Amino acid sequence: MKPEILLVDPMMPAIEQALDATYTVHRLSAAPDRDRLIAEVAPRVRAVVTGGGTGVKPAVVDALPNLGIVAINGVGTDAVDLEHARGRGVRVTNTPGVLTDDVADLAMGLVIAASRRMAAGDRFVRAGQWPKGKLSLARKVTGKRMGILGLGRIGEAIAKRAEAFGMGIAYTNRNPRSDVAYRFIASPEDLARESDILVVAASAGPASRNMVGRAMLDALGPDGILVNVARGSVVDEPELLAALTEGRLGGAGLDVFADEPNVPEGFFALDNVVLQPHQASATVETRTAMGQLVLDNLEAFFAGRPLPTAVV
Ligand code: 8YV
């Protein structure tokens, strides 16, 4: 008898095939009526596999009496209530490490794209405007001051890349780090004031919710660039939209939003914003490695072995 699992978000075909080989997979995203599927399979489901941004609601965890593990296909754990899972005796795993480079690469891509107006330039050429005029000047990247909000694995990988661009690097973190030479600035607002480019790489949760609000955006200022590759919840989205619209902030590169996949339409009209549909870990190589880690965690769980990347 194969153990039964609930797959919340689709994964790469090769990973789904590997899941099918070992488990009976109930696919939530393909179900015409999700609540009905959950009710039907609830007593038999031993594992939930879900995306970092999607997670699983406590009510669903509570509806699955034999659930033993939630395997997150992502590093962020904010969409799963970890304390609730702990209370229910449910293990939780994520996929740290394997996606660090990709997220840092995309962050630098957004820094360059937003500063150098690459998306606006692309639209300009496609619209046949080049023969009629010139794109307005962009902002230089090399040598700028970068502030990093959250210097964990991903923040540090972004800092390493920024070093190659001759940037001065400062950061805010829960605690100063003794193992890096970057400048620690305790106050997020001071960090923004002393940065040309502010990159959000902090983990999401109650402590960082709406942390980047009006005060920080105004401190970053009309020439400042904000890049967010963490979670939409860390930034006060209406304040960000207002700052960009009113010219109080220079530009933004955004991979994440408060209510994905819904992006406030106000952003669509802004030429100084580069938008991505949560792509930071979305490469064949990294999604393969993330999927493999999910498979490894499930295998260890069902074999009664220690979990490779346990959070709970
Ligand atoms: C993924 C993520 O897009 O790692 C995370 O926390 O949000 C992203 O890597 C997501 O988890 C896809 O399943």
Side-chain angles (χ1 to χ4, degrees), residues 237-238 241 257-259 261-269 275:
E237 206 165 69
L241 187 52
F257 300 88
D259 178 31
N262 305 303
V263 176
E265 272 184 33
F267 284 113
F268 301 167
L275 305 170

Side-chain angles (χ1 to χ4, degrees), residues 70-227:
V70 174
I72 302 171
N73 184 36
V75 69
T77 59
D78 56 302
V80 176
D81 185 333
L82 301 181
E83 281 321 304
H84 179 260
R86 206 185 306 275
R88 275 277 328 272
V90 171
R91 308 293 310 271
V92 180
T93 60
N94 65 346
T95 62
V98 293
L99 45 64
T100 303
D101 284 332
D102 270 10
V103 180
D105 289 351
L106 193 89
M108 285 310 290
L110 287 172
V111 165
I112 298 169
S115 303
R116 298 299 305 269
R117 313 197 62 230
M118 287 174 72
D122 182 274
R123 285 191 291 271
F124 184 81
V125 174
R126 284 172 202 265
Q129 286 178 325
W130 195 3
K132 298 175 210 151
K134 282 211 177 342
L135 191 69
S136 58
L137 293 180
R139 285 284 174 175
K140 183 168 174 141
V141 173
T142 293
K144 285 287 155 70
R145 299 170 303 168
M146 178 182 279
I148 301 178
L149 193 65
L151 199 76
R153 264 183 298 252
I154 291 171
E156 195 179 343
I158 295 168
K160 288 223 171 75
R161 285 155 175 76
E163 275 184 68
F165 284 83
M167 292 189 184
I169 296 154
Y171 71 99
T172 292
N173 205 34
R174 262 181 292 236
N175 300 304
R177 286 181 49 175
S178 56
D179 58 336
V180 297
Y182 311 125
R183 189 157 70 103
F184 174 73
I185 300 180
S187 143
E189 207 176 309
D190 289 344
L191 179 76
R193 192 168 297 107
E194 296 191 37
S195 301
D196 303 304
I197 298 161
L198 184 72
V199 181
V200 182
S203 51
S208 61
R209 185 162 200 88
N210 287 340
M211 190 182 217
V212 182
R214 184 165 182 130
M216 274 187 80
L217 294 168
D218 284 347
L220 192 54
D223 292 325
I225 302 277
L226 179 81
V227 165

